[in-house]
Amino acid sequence: MTVDTAAYLAGFRRRLDLPALVDVHTHFMPDQVMRKVWAYFDQAGPLTGRPWPITYRDDEQVRLKTLRDFGVRAFTSLVYPHKPRMAAWLNEWTAEFAARTPDCLHTATFYPEPEAPEYVRAAIAGGARVFKVHIQVGAFSPLDPLLDPVWAILAESGVPVLIHCGSGPAPGEFTGPVPIGELLRRFPGLRLIIAHMGTPEYTEFLDLAESHPLLRLDTTMVWTDFSESDAPFPPGERERLRRFGDRILFGSDFPNIPYPYAEAVRALERLDLGDDWLRKVCHDNAVALFDLR
Ligand SMILES: [Zn+2]
Protein backbone atom coordinates (compact mmCIF):
# COMPACT_ATOMS: atom_id res chain seq x y z
CA MET A 1 0.00 0.00 0.00
CA THR A 2 2.78 2.38 1.00
CA VAL A 3 4.75 1.51 -2.10
CA ASP A 4 1.73 2.13 -4.32
CA THR A 5 1.09 5.49 -2.68
CA ALA A 6 4.72 6.54 -3.08
CA ALA A 7 4.64 5.58 -6.76
CA TYR A 8 1.32 7.32 -7.30
CA LEU A 9 2.59 10.52 -5.71
CA ALA A 10 5.86 10.38 -7.64
CA GLY A 11 3.80 10.19 -10.84
CA PHE A 12 1.59 13.06 -9.68
CA ARG A 13 4.59 15.28 -8.96
CA ARG A 14 6.24 14.37 -12.24
CA ARG A 15 3.10 15.15 -14.24
CA LEU A 16 2.72 18.55 -12.54
CA ASP A 17 6.46 19.22 -12.50
CA LEU A 18 6.25 19.74 -8.75
CA PRO A 19 9.45 19.39 -6.72
CA ALA A 20 7.53 18.20 -3.66
CA LEU A 21 4.32 18.44 -1.68
CA VAL A 22 3.67 20.55 1.40
CA ASP A 23 1.22 19.02 3.88
CA VAL A 24 -0.01 21.59 6.40
CA HIS A 25 -2.09 19.13 8.42
CA THR A 26 -0.14 16.23 9.90
CA HIS A 27 0.06 14.99 13.46
CA PHE A 28 3.21 14.26 15.38
CA MET A 29 2.93 14.32 19.16
CA PRO A 30 4.44 12.80 22.28
CA ASP A 31 4.23 9.03 22.06
CA GLN A 32 1.88 8.55 24.98
CA VAL A 33 -0.50 11.20 23.61
CA MET A 34 -0.51 9.64 20.13
CA ARG A 35 -1.32 6.27 21.67
CA LYS A 36 -4.32 7.79 23.46
CA VAL A 37 -5.51 9.36 20.22
CA TRP A 38 -5.23 6.02 18.44
CA ALA A 39 -7.09 4.26 21.27
CA TYR A 40 -9.83 6.84 20.89
CA PHE A 41 -10.16 6.23 17.15
CA ASP A 42 -10.17 2.47 17.83
CA GLN A 43 -13.30 2.82 19.96
CA ALA A 44 -15.14 4.75 17.24
CA GLY A 45 -16.14 7.08 20.09
CA PRO A 46 -18.65 9.92 19.95
CA LEU A 47 -16.21 12.37 18.37
CA THR A 48 -15.64 10.09 15.39
CA GLY A 49 -18.84 8.07 15.43
CA ARG A 50 -17.72 5.49 12.89
CA PRO A 51 -14.99 2.88 12.43
CA TRP A 52 -11.71 4.66 11.82
CA PRO A 53 -8.78 2.30 11.18
CA ILE A 54 -5.47 4.21 11.42
CA THR A 55 -3.52 3.45 8.22
CA TYR A 56 -0.10 4.67 9.38
CA ARG A 57 0.14 3.35 12.94
CA ASP A 58 3.93 3.16 13.04
CA ASP A 59 6.78 4.35 15.18
CA GLU A 60 7.63 8.02 14.80
CA GLN A 61 10.78 7.50 12.73
CA VAL A 62 8.93 5.17 10.36
CA ARG A 63 6.14 7.74 9.95
CA LEU A 64 8.70 10.44 9.14
CA LYS A 65 10.31 8.23 6.53
CA THR A 66 6.91 7.41 5.04
CA LEU A 67 6.04 11.10 4.62
CA ARG A 68 9.42 11.84 3.06
CA ASP A 69 9.03 8.86 0.72
CA PHE A 70 5.73 10.40 -0.37
CA GLY A 71 7.65 13.51 -1.47
CA VAL A 72 6.45 15.78 1.33
CA ARG A 73 9.10 18.42 1.92
CA ALA A 74 7.38 20.32 4.74
CA PHE A 75 4.70 19.36 7.23
CA THR A 76 3.39 20.17 10.71
CA SER A 77 3.22 18.50 14.12
CA LEU A 78 -0.29 19.45 15.12
CA VAL A 79 -0.97 19.00 18.83
CA TYR A 80 -3.95 20.18 20.84
CA PRO A 81 -4.79 20.16 24.56
CA HIS A 82 -8.13 18.92 25.92
CA LYS A 83 -7.58 20.32 29.40
CA PRO A 84 -5.75 23.13 31.21
CA ARG A 85 -2.02 22.96 31.98
CA MET A 86 -1.25 20.77 29.02
CA ALA A 87 -0.49 23.22 26.20
CA ALA A 88 2.82 24.54 27.55
CA TRP A 89 4.13 20.98 27.89
CA LEU A 90 2.96 20.11 24.36
CA ASN A 91 4.72 23.24 23.10
CA GLU A 92 7.96 22.12 24.72
CA TRP A 93 7.65 18.82 22.90
CA THR A 94 6.86 20.37 19.49
CA ALA A 95 9.80 22.78 19.83
CA GLU A 96 12.11 19.86 20.58
CA PHE A 97 10.59 17.84 17.71
CA ALA A 98 11.03 20.71 15.23
CA ALA A 99 14.64 21.16 16.36
CA ARG A 100 15.44 17.54 15.49
CA THR A 101 13.14 17.43 12.42
CA PRO A 102 14.13 20.26 10.08
CA ASP A 103 11.36 19.53 7.54
CA CYS A 104 8.68 19.93 10.23
CA LEU A 105 7.27 23.43 10.68
CA HIS A 106 7.62 24.38 14.32
CA THR A 107 4.05 24.05 15.62
CA ALA A 108 2.44 25.20 18.88
CA THR A 109 -0.95 25.32 20.57
CA PHE A 110 -2.87 26.95 23.44
CA TYR A 111 -5.86 26.61 25.74
CA PRO A 112 -7.99 29.27 27.47
CA GLU A 113 -6.02 29.65 30.70
CA PRO A 114 -4.29 32.56 32.42
CA GLU A 115 -0.79 31.43 31.38
CA ALA A 116 -1.68 31.25 27.67
CA PRO A 117 -0.48 34.73 26.56
CA GLU A 118 2.89 34.09 28.16
CA TYR A 119 3.56 30.69 26.59
CA VAL A 120 2.14 31.74 23.20
CA ARG A 121 4.48 34.71 23.17
CA ALA A 122 7.35 32.43 24.18
CA ALA A 123 6.49 29.95 21.42
CA ILE A 124 6.54 32.71 18.80
CA ALA A 125 9.83 34.03 20.14
CA GLY A 126 11.13 30.46 19.97
CA GLY A 127 10.28 30.23 16.28
CA ALA A 128 6.76 28.75 16.12
CA ARG A 129 5.49 28.99 12.53
CA VAL A 130 1.92 27.75 12.98
CA PHE A 131 -0.52 27.21 15.84
CA LYS A 132 -3.19 24.55 16.09
CA VAL A 133 -6.55 24.88 17.83
CA HIS A 134 -9.15 22.12 18.09
CA ILE A 135 -12.49 23.58 19.16
CA GLN A 136 -14.30 20.25 19.42
CA VAL A 137 -11.64 18.35 21.39
CA GLY A 138 -10.72 21.40 23.46
CA ALA A 139 -14.42 22.04 24.15
CA PHE A 140 -13.87 25.78 24.56
CA SER A 141 -15.25 28.78 22.75
CA PRO A 142 -12.89 30.70 20.49
CA LEU A 143 -14.53 33.74 22.08
CA ASP A 144 -13.51 32.75 25.61
CA PRO A 145 -12.31 36.03 27.20
CA LEU A 146 -9.15 34.28 28.40
CA LEU A 147 -8.16 34.01 24.74
CA ASP A 148 -8.55 37.71 23.88
CA PRO A 149 -4.89 38.53 24.60
CA VAL A 150 -3.80 35.37 22.74
CA TRP A 151 -5.70 36.29 19.57
CA ALA A 152 -4.30 39.81 19.81
CA ILE A 153 -0.74 38.45 19.96
CA LEU A 154 -1.40 36.08 17.03
CA ALA A 155 -3.03 38.79 14.90
CA GLU A 156 -0.14 41.13 15.60
CA SER A 157 2.52 38.50 14.83
CA GLY A 158 0.81 37.20 11.69
CA VAL A 159 1.62 33.58 12.61
CA PRO A 160 -1.03 31.36 10.99
CA VAL A 161 -3.47 29.44 13.21
CA LEU A 162 -4.85 26.17 11.88
CA ILE A 163 -8.22 25.72 13.54
CA HIS A 164 -10.53 22.72 13.56
CA CYS A 165 -13.81 24.55 14.07
CA GLY A 166 -16.31 22.89 11.73
CA SER A 167 -18.94 20.61 13.25
CA GLY A 168 -17.52 17.43 11.71
CA PRO A 169 -17.05 14.60 12.30
CA ALA A 170 -19.40 15.40 15.21
CA PRO A 171 -20.57 18.80 16.47
CA GLY A 172 -19.27 20.27 19.72
CA GLU A 173 -20.81 22.94 21.91
CA PHE A 174 -18.67 25.67 20.30
CA THR A 175 -18.10 24.40 16.76
CA GLY A 176 -19.47 26.03 13.61
CA PRO A 177 -18.94 29.21 11.63
CA VAL A 178 -20.77 31.72 13.85
CA PRO A 179 -18.15 32.14 16.62
CA ILE A 180 -15.41 32.22 13.98
CA GLY A 181 -17.19 35.04 12.15
CA GLU A 182 -17.34 36.98 15.40
CA LEU A 183 -13.68 36.20 16.17
CA LEU A 184 -12.63 37.58 12.77
CA ARG A 185 -14.76 40.66 13.29
CA ARG A 186 -12.84 41.31 16.51
CA PHE A 187 -9.40 40.32 15.19
CA PRO A 188 -9.37 40.92 11.42
CA GLY A 189 -5.59 40.50 11.30
CA LEU A 190 -5.74 36.81 12.27
CA ARG A 191 -4.45 34.38 9.66
CA LEU A 192 -6.78 31.48 10.26
CA ILE A 193 -6.58 28.25 8.30
CA ILE A 194 -9.93 26.46 8.54
CA ALA A 195 -9.19 22.74 8.87
CA HIS A 196 -11.13 20.31 6.69
CA MET A 197 -12.60 23.22 4.67
CA GLY A 198 -14.93 23.59 7.70
CA THR A 199 -16.57 20.17 7.20
CA PRO A 200 -19.55 19.95 7.10
CA GLU A 201 -20.29 23.71 7.05
CA TYR A 202 -18.42 24.19 3.77
CA THR A 203 -20.68 26.90 2.40
CA GLU A 204 -20.70 28.97 5.58
CA PHE A 205 -16.90 28.92 5.86
CA LEU A 206 -16.52 29.81 2.18
CA ASP A 207 -18.87 32.72 2.92
CA LEU A 208 -16.44 33.83 5.64
CA ALA A 209 -13.61 33.60 3.13
CA GLU A 210 -15.49 36.07 0.93
CA SER A 211 -15.36 38.79 3.55
CA HIS A 212 -12.00 37.91 5.16
CA PRO A 213 -9.16 37.97 2.64
CA LEU A 214 -6.63 36.50 5.10
CA LEU A 215 -8.77 33.42 5.72
CA ARG A 216 -7.44 30.15 4.32
CA LEU A 217 -8.79 26.61 4.28
CA ASP A 218 -7.10 23.21 4.30
CA THR A 219 -8.27 20.25 2.23
CA THR A 220 -7.80 17.65 4.96
CA MET A 221 -9.95 14.56 4.21
CA VAL A 222 -12.35 16.57 2.07
CA TRP A 223 -13.56 14.96 -1.20
CA THR A 224 -12.28 11.50 -0.23
CA ASP A 225 -14.83 8.69 -0.42
CA PHE A 226 -14.67 8.47 3.38
CA SER A 227 -15.65 12.12 3.83
CA GLU A 228 -18.10 12.29 0.94
CA SER A 229 -20.10 9.37 2.35
CA ASP A 230 -20.66 11.32 5.55
CA ALA A 231 -20.47 15.02 4.67
CA PRO A 232 -20.61 15.51 0.89
CA PHE A 233 -19.14 18.72 -0.46
CA PRO A 234 -21.80 20.75 -2.33
CA PRO A 235 -21.07 20.50 -6.07
CA GLY A 236 -22.40 24.04 -6.44
CA GLU A 237 -19.38 25.35 -4.52
CA ARG A 238 -16.86 24.16 -7.10
CA GLU A 239 -16.59 27.62 -8.63
CA ARG A 240 -15.59 29.13 -5.29
CA LEU A 241 -12.87 26.49 -4.93
CA ARG A 242 -11.45 27.76 -8.18
CA ARG A 243 -11.77 31.38 -7.12
CA PHE A 244 -10.10 30.77 -3.76
CA GLY A 245 -7.36 28.64 -5.32
CA ASP A 246 -4.68 30.89 -3.78
CA ARG A 247 -6.04 30.32 -0.28
CA ILE A 248 -6.55 26.55 -0.18
CA LEU A 249 -3.77 24.41 1.31
CA PHE A 250 -3.25 20.68 1.03
CA GLY A 251 -3.58 18.78 4.30
CA SER A 252 -3.91 15.06 4.96
CA ASP A 253 -4.35 14.26 8.70
CA PHE A 254 -1.46 11.81 8.36
CA PRO A 255 -0.99 9.39 10.09
CA ASN A 256 -4.53 9.19 11.45
CA ILE A 257 -6.35 8.49 8.21
CA PRO A 258 -8.55 5.50 7.46
CA TYR A 259 -7.25 5.12 3.88
CA PRO A 260 -3.95 5.31 1.98
CA TYR A 261 -2.39 8.79 1.71
CA ALA A 262 -2.73 8.76 -2.08
CA GLU A 263 -6.52 9.01 -1.62
CA ALA A 264 -6.13 12.57 -0.33
CA VAL A 265 -4.35 13.68 -3.49
CA ARG A 266 -6.58 11.64 -5.79
CA ALA A 267 -9.58 13.41 -4.21
CA LEU A 268 -8.09 16.75 -5.28
CA GLU A 269 -7.37 15.54 -8.80
CA ARG A 270 -10.96 14.30 -9.14
CA LEU A 271 -12.19 17.87 -8.66
CA ASP A 272 -10.81 18.57 -12.11
CA LEU A 273 -9.88 22.18 -11.35
CA GLY A 274 -6.74 22.06 -13.45
CA ASP A 275 -3.01 21.56 -12.96
CA ASP A 276 -2.34 25.15 -11.89
CA TRP A 277 -4.89 24.79 -9.11
CA LEU A 278 -3.27 21.54 -7.96
CA ARG A 279 0.20 23.09 -8.00
CA LYS A 280 -0.95 26.00 -5.87
CA VAL A 281 -2.89 23.87 -3.40
CA CYS A 282 -0.32 21.08 -3.01
CA HIS A 283 2.78 23.27 -2.93
CA ASP A 284 2.92 26.93 -3.94
CA ASN A 285 0.39 28.41 -1.50
CA ALA A 286 2.07 26.86 1.53
CA VAL A 287 5.54 27.76 0.25
CA ALA A 288 4.42 31.39 0.05
CA LEU A 289 2.55 31.41 3.38
CA PHE A 290 5.43 29.84 5.33
CA ASP A 291 8.16 31.43 3.24
CA LEU A 292 9.70 28.02 2.49
CA ARG A 293 11.83 29.12 -0.43
ZN1 LIG B 1 -6.20 16.59 12.20
Side-chain angles (χ1 to χ4, degrees), residues 82-137:
H82 62 278
K83 58 184 184 193
R85 303 195 156 268
M86 185 178 180
W89 170 72
L90 288 170
N91 289 351
E92 277 171 35
W93 186 89
T94 49
E96 180 266 325
F97 182 74
R100 65 180 160 93
T101 316
D103 38 355
C104 180
L105 291 167
H106 181 170
T107 312
T109 190
F110 53 87
Y111 189 86
E113 53 194 339
E115 307 81 5
E118 191 185 318
Y119 63 67
V120 164
R121 213 173 294 204
I124 294 169
R129 316 275 299 274
V130 59
F131 282 77
K132 165 70 187 247
V133 179
H134 201 311
I135 294 295
Q136 183 207 44
V137 171

Side-chain angles (χ1 to χ4, degrees), residues 10-31:
F12 173 78
R13 294 196 315 275
R14 221 172 8 249
R15 186 173 69 71
L16 293 179
D17 197 20
L18 269 185
L21 307 177
V22 179
D23 186 340
V24 302
H25 193 134
T26 64
H27 295 284
F28 288 89
M29 42 185 84
D31 229 39

Side-chain angles (χ1 to χ4, degrees), residues 142-145 148 151 155 179-190 212:
L143 302 175
D144 189 312
D148 282 352
W151 296 124
I180 299 301
E182 174 61 16
L183 178 67
L184 289 171
R185 195 190 63 74
R186 293 190 201 169
F187 300 96
L190 278 176
H212 297 281

Side-chain angles (χ1 to χ4, degrees), residues 5-6 8-10 12-14 16 18-24 67-75 103 250 252 261-262 264-265 268 278-279 281-284 286-287 292:
T5 285
Y8 178 86
L9 294 172
F12 173 78
R13 294 196 315 275
R14 221 172 8 249
L16 293 179
L18 269 185
L21 307 177
V22 179
D23 186 340
V24 302
L67 263 191
R68 289 164 184 156
D69 287 349
F70 291 167
V72 177
R73 73 173 267 209
F75 52 92
D103 38 355
F250 171 63
S252 69
Y261 192 91
V265 172
L268 300 182
L278 289 170
R279 275 186 211 102
V281 169
C282 295
H283 182 262
D284 300 355
V287 165
L292 296 174

Side-chain angles (χ1 to χ4, degrees), residues 238-265:
R238 223 172 136 269
E239 192 41 46
R240 288 211 281 189
L241 295 180
R242 188 189 302 281
R243 192 147 51 79
F244 292 137
D246 293 332
R247 291 155 63 186
I248 297 175
L249 303 162
F250 171 63
S252 69
D253 241 343
F254 178 91
N256 303 334
I257 41 176
Y259 45 74
Y261 192 91
E263 290 288 310
V265 172

Side-chain angles (χ1 to χ4, degrees), residues 43-103:
Q43 300 161 14
L47 294 192
T48 54
R50 59 196 292 205
W52 199 300
I54 306 286
T55 305
Y56 299 98
R57 188 189 304 238
D58 299 307
D59 288 343
E60 180 184 281
Q61 291 305 310
V62 175
R63 278 181 269 126
L64 285 169
K65 179 176 183 327
T66 301
L67 263 191
R68 289 164 184 156
D69 287 349
F70 291 167
V72 177
R73 73 173 267 209
F75 52 92
T76 54
S77 59
L78 303 181
V79 292
Y80 42 87
H82 62 278
K83 58 184 184 193
R85 303 195 156 268
M86 185 178 180
W89 170 72
L90 288 170
N91 289 351
E92 277 171 35
W93 186 89
T94 49
E96 180 266 325
F97 182 74
R100 65 180 160 93
T101 316
D103 38 355

